[in-house]
Amino acid sequence: MQIVLIGPPGAGKGTIGERLAGTCGGTHLSTGDILRDAVARGTALGKKAETYVEAGRLVPQEILGEVVAERLAREKRFVLDGYPRTVEQAEFLSGLPFVKIDAVIYAEVDEEETARRLAGRLLCPACGAVTNADAGDGVCGRCGSEELAARADDRLDTVQARYDIYQRETAPVVEYYRAAGLLREIDATGSREEVFARAEAAIRPLMTCGDDNG
Ligand code: ADP
């Protein structure tokens, strides 16, 4: 099964993606995670992408396209989170011979709620887990690290810029997939459990876990 996750910054795509991938034994591929990891390790990709990621701007397709193609070529089942973010990227993805998207989950949440979530979001630099300042005691629930930190692009002005880019560049991608008959819209407000249950229900009719063509 090949699934794409789309939604505004703060919609919870990372959490949904990780769990959906677990449900179907596929790989959760987040372009945001791939890029942050490359920046942190100072790789060639990281050096090219750093200024864009930290300012909340889109990394140019000439830089990212090849990386995405190379990762997807190795996966039969995946949940792709954070890509495509532009119609150009959506067309690029459709043109890859080994990609056949089964469904696109669109996680909907309004701007006020995304701003509230991002303001409190904390990232564990040790294991990559994401948590929220209102929910925890400053300790990573996954690996126990006490070094939780805000993401560099979660500053208020950067969040606004990311939301504007989302409206301008990514909202048309939603329409692109609606026209292709692939879009499954889910309400991404409420608890993580509720949102995940909606995401799972949206793709349940397509579930072919264990299927070789999956
Ligand atoms: P968000 O919380 O905004 O959904 P992500 O973790 O998906 O954040 O992405 C973080 C940053 O990584 C983006 O603001 C952008 O700089 C870069 N990025 C991720 N995916 C893409 C993409 N498909 N195209 C261009 N840039 C991307």
Side-chain angles (χ1 to χ4, degrees):
M1 173 121 68
Q2 302 190 345
I3 296 171
V4 165
L5 265 177
I6 296 191
K13 298 185 294 294
T15 312
I16 302 170
E18 202 171 306
R19 291 193 52 178
L20 272 188
T23 304
C24 218
T27 306
H28 173 221
L29 280 174
S30 152
T31 45
D33 288 349
I34 291 170
L35 290 167
R36 275 186 293 281
D37 177 63
V39 171
R41 289 190 294 120
T43 63
L45 169 67
K47 289 196 181 101
K48 285 187 234 162
E50 185 166 12
T51 52
Y52 297 98
V53 173
E54 287 180 359
R57 286 163 49 218
L58 294 184
V59 174
Q61 167 65 4
E62 307 83 82
I63 299 174
L64 194 54
E66 197 184 325
V67 176
V68 168
E70 192 249 317
R71 291 295 293 264
L72 294 182
R74 289 189 255 142
E75 311 287 345
K76 236 173 145 180
R77 296 185 192 141
F78 58 77
V79 178
L80 184 58
D81 150 12
Y83 195 100
R85 265 173 149 92
T86 64
V87 171
E88 180 196 16
Q89 292 181 357
E91 285 170 347
F92 173 78
L93 194 61
S94 304
L96 294 176
F98 39 84
V99 170
K100 194 189 166 304
I101 305 296
D102 296 293
V104 176
I105 297 183
Y106 169 36
E108 276 194 281
V109 43
D110 68 28
E111 185 172 3
E112 203 179 312
E113 174 66 10
T114 62
R116 198 185 62 74
R117 291 183 186 180
L118 295 176
R121 172 157 77 178
L122 293 173
L123 189 72
C124 174
C127 76
V130 178
T131 154
N132 202 283
D134 341 328
D137 47 10
V139 177
C140 176
R142 190 198 280 167
C143 77
S145 165
E146 294 179 7
E147 308 285 312
L148 302 184
R151 247 170 63 171
D153 60 350
D154 279 347
R155 291 177 31 213
L156 208 57
D157 52 342
T158 313
V159 166
Q160 181 64 51
R162 281 159 60 204
Y163 200 84
D164 292 347
I165 292 170
Y166 171 78
Q167 293 285 11
R168 197 171 60 240
E169 305 281 353
T170 312
V173 179
V174 172
E175 298 315 316
Y176 175 93
Y177 284 125
R178 195 193 305 280
L182 290 173
L183 203 69
R184 308 276 185 282
E185 295 175 61
I186 63 159
D187 172 6
T189 55
S191 70
R192 287 175 177 219
E193 290 307 318
E194 286 166 333
V195 176
F196 177 64
R198 290 181 203 127
E200 206 181 30
I203 58 153
R204 196 168 299 134
L206 305 166
M207 281 286 202
T208 51
C209 291
D211 179 336
D212 282 339
N213 301 317

